[in-house]
Amino acid sequence: MHEDIIQFRHTLHQTPELSGQEFQTASRIIKFFSRFTPDNIYTEVGSSGVIVVFGKAEAPCVMLRCELDAVPIEEPPNLPYASCNSCVAHKCGHDGHIAILAAVAEALSLNAPKNIRVALLFQPAEETGEGSRQIVEDPVFRQVNPKMIFGLHNVPGYEHGKILVRKGTFCCASRGLTITLTGKTAHAAQPETGCSPASTMAQLIDFAENIREHTGLNNPLSFCTVVGARLGDKAFGTAPARAELYITVRSATDDDMLKMVRAIERETAEKAEIKGLDWHMEYSDVFDATSNDDRCVELIEKANSNRTVQLQSPFRWSEDFGVYTQHLPGAFFGLGAGITIPPLHHPDYDFPDDLIIEGANVFLNIIEQCKQVLSEH
Ligand SMILES: [Zn+2]
Ligand SMILES: [Zn+2]
């Protein structure tokens, strides 16, 4: 592999951009990938997305996806290529995922794909869960017309280069709920003249923390985390009028997600009405479950038989790749980043450069398998 690709990863690392703002990253990719003389480059897909295509237009297409965005974390200054942007850093290794696709592109440029088209997708805004929806809604995605899609994530804490696979759910669904309760303020000496959301807020915290009991769900991966709450102010003369409650809901299936969210909505409406409170609920960071196609998982295993490990249960974190597998067959898999590597989103985490070639080889093996499978259709 070319030393330039490692250098390219370091440049991306130095110039990270947050979700939805990855325009500079996209133009760096367009410039860097041009050297591999692809057959086509689509730009501004979704928003700042890029699709780089190798192979003839009539051949069936396999798509490989990576992400463009960094996370809002301050990076310590010890790396020679540390982030130049304050409080933004590539702490999820998306710079490494881009470099993996650069190594794939290099291989494809030396050995042009026959009977298959390979589309490399660079997706914005993964961390907020918005990017994959923007991509599939762009007519260019339909025009490229992928028949299968694959994506990977590096996973610290697992042996370097191991391939982690799972049929069905690979990563959990999750979403943030903000519940706002509004009543009427009063003098603290006469709280009965106002309408305080305090006890309703407490009831809803308890309801969320015991959500499985209230919904009859028994999957231990379906649960709520109360991540924050605000009620009134430190003003001892005033009874509060307003409360906000922040809950992260997580589940192994989209079905469980819907049941839990509906139950919280019903409970909020009911309890707010009893007290005469206004209520409002807002969703953010909405991720569907990443659900893998069985045959695509088997294809990954067959392509890389000596290195795959089957996961017993899905990862609890979320990933917006699930949007693609709602539209076409595909699979998302993990690539062990090493046992001693700091966890994702940790300030000391950095994508290991020696994983670039490992990831590229896994993808190239998958492309070989896809050639056989797609030419049968
Ligand atoms: Zn992340
Ligand atoms: Zn990530």
Side-chain angles (χ1 to χ4, degrees):
M1 186 186 61
H2 224 266
E3 190 57 31
D4 284 5
I5 291 176
I6 292 177
Q7 196 55 52
F8 179 54
R9 208 262 313 158
H10 295 176
T11 305
L12 294 171
H13 193 94
Q14 263 178 316
T15 53
E17 293 171 295
L18 291 175
S19 311
Q21 301 171 17
E22 312 93 325
F23 295 98
Q24 211 187 85
T25 306
S27 46
R28 273 185 216 286
I29 287 169
I30 295 161
K31 188 156 172 261
F32 190 80
F33 279 70
S34 299
R35 71 176 64 190
F36 303 123
T37 57
D39 293 274
N40 222 329
I41 297 187
Y42 299 92
T43 62
E44 294 174 27
V45 188
S47 55
S48 58
V50 179
I51 302 179
V52 176
V53 183
F54 292 87
K56 300 245 170 355
E58 60 277 9
C61 177
V62 58
M63 186 173 261
L64 309 177
R65 171 276 210 170
C66 73
E67 323 88 323
L68 299 177
D69 49 349
V71 288
I73 294 174
E74 184 73 32
E75 178 162 65
N78 30 358
L79 280 176
Y81 50 88
S83 169
C84 296
N85 301 340
S86 86
C87 207
V88 190
H90 269 297
K91 294 297 160 191
C92 210
H94 297 174
D95 51 344
H97 300 168
I98 297 169
I100 287 173
L101 290 194
V104 170
E106 187 184 44
L108 295 175
S109 72
L110 297 171
N111 196 351
K114 291 183 193 70
N115 310 322
I116 197 166
R117 205 157 32 101
V118 182
L120 309 178
L121 165 62
F122 302 84
Q123 179 213 300
E126 187 285 319
E127 295 286 344
T128 55
E130 289 162 345
S132 57
R133 281 187 201 97
Q134 292 170 355
I135 295 286
V136 296
E137 282 164 14
D138 192 309
V140 166
F141 184 78
R142 231 167 302 135
Q143 199 183 324
V144 173
N145 191 20
K147 300 293 178 203
M148 284 184 179
I149 185 164
F150 295 89
L152 65 74
H153 209 291
N154 76 97
V155 189
Y158 286 82
E159 211 180 305
H160 183 96
K162 281 275 185 241
I163 302 161
L164 316 169
V165 293
R166 189 167 199 279
K167 288 180 178 174
T169 302
F170 187 84
C171 316
C172 284
S174 70
R175 69 171 69 179
L177 298 188
T178 300
I179 302 171
T180 308
L181 302 168
T182 315
K184 194 169 147 259
T185 186
H187 194 290
Q190 288 171 316
E192 70 280 7
T193 62
C195 178
S196 166
S199 60
T200 308
M201 179 173 122
Q203 285 170 328
L204 292 177
I205 289 175
D206 188 69
F207 186 85
E209 291 204 323
N210 296 291
I211 191 76
R212 279 204 298 277
E213 207 176 286
H214 295 294
T215 48
L217 297 174
N218 46 27
N219 190 324
L221 290 180
S222 296
F223 62 94
C224 292
T225 309
V226 176
V227 295
R230 289 172 63 90
L231 172 72
D233 292 299
K234 193 177 176 181
F236 296 103
T238 312
R242 190 181 154 90
E244 267 188 3
L245 189 54
Y246 316 116
I247 301 169
T248 304
V249 190
R250 198 170 295 280
S251 66
T253 65
D254 293 331
D255 213 42
D256 278 13
M257 173 59 67
L258 219 64
K259 281 183 184 144
M260 289 192 285
V261 169
R262 282 193 182 141
I264 294 170
E265 252 185 57
R266 267 199 310 271
E267 183 71 7
T268 305
E270 193 186 312
K271 292 290 188 285
E273 198 187 336
I274 291 170
K275 281 275 175 180
L277 297 160
D278 284 333
W279 67 278
H280 176 71
M281 193 178 285
E282 235 174 62
Y283 303 127
S284 39
D285 296 2
V286 177
F287 290 89
D288 294 336
T290 295
S291 184
N292 283 340
D293 177 84
D294 284 2
R295 278 183 309 172
C296 289
V297 174
E298 284 161 15
L299 189 148
I300 298 170
E301 288 179 305
K302 203 168 164 201
N304 302 279
S305 52
N306 51 343
R307 293 162 62 190
T308 52
V309 178
Q310 292 202 11
L311 293 172
Q312 294 309 309
S313 54
F315 281 115
R316 288 189 177 200
W317 39 270
S318 299
E319 159 62 60
D320 76 355
F321 189 86
V323 170
Y324 300 112
T325 54
Q326 288 167 5
H327 289 80
L328 71 154
F332 194 71
F333 59 94
L335 182 63
I339 304 286
T340 57
I341 302 287
L344 298 172
H345 292 208
H346 187 282
D348 292 330
Y349 166 87
D350 181 34
F351 184 90
D353 281 321
D354 51 2
L355 207 57
I356 297 175
I357 193 68
E358 303 274 3
N361 285 336
V362 179
F363 274 143
L364 290 167
N365 292 342
I366 289 173
I367 293 170
E368 278 306 311
Q369 277 298 317
C370 287
K371 268 186 203 170
Q372 293 180 24
V373 176
L374 290 174
S375 63
E376 286 162 14
H377 290 280

